[in-house]
Amino acid sequence: MIVGFLSTLLIETLQLILNYFYLGYRVFDINDIILNFIGYILGLIIYIIIKFIFSRKIKFLSITK
């Protein structure tokens, strides 16, 4: 979970720095950090569910052979 939060924080901090030096037109927003972290958590949950389903399916198929 730390990786998802830190990567989002890094991107938003880079946007803030670039905007400070007039090198970009992006805006630093705390909502982006929160929503990106929620998306990371949801993606992780979906990954765990799919991994669980396929691991059971592979075990079932290896037993029936």
Side-chain angles (χ1 to χ4, degrees):
M1 284 198 210
I2 294 292
V3 173
F5 178 74
L6 289 179
S7 63
T8 300
L9 186 62
L10 175 70
I11 291 170
E12 291 298 322
T13 305
L14 286 173
Q15 287 179 359
L16 180 65
I17 292 169
L18 289 175
N19 192 31
Y20 180 75
F21 291 110
Y22 303 107
L23 298 174
Y25 300 104
R26 306 285 290 176
V27 177
F28 178 84
D29 192 14
I30 192 69
N31 292 336
D32 289 341
I33 294 175
I34 294 168
L35 292 174
N36 285 341
F37 186 68
I38 290 171
Y40 172 77
I41 297 297
L42 290 175
L44 183 64
I45 290 170
I46 291 169
Y47 169 75
I48 291 171
I49 291 171
I50 290 173
K51 184 179 172 185
F52 176 75
I53 290 171
F54 280 110
S55 68
R56 288 180 51 113
K57 192 173 190 178
I58 290 172
K59 287 179 185 176
F60 177 75
L61 290 175
S62 65
I63 292 173
T64 59
K65 286 186 176 182

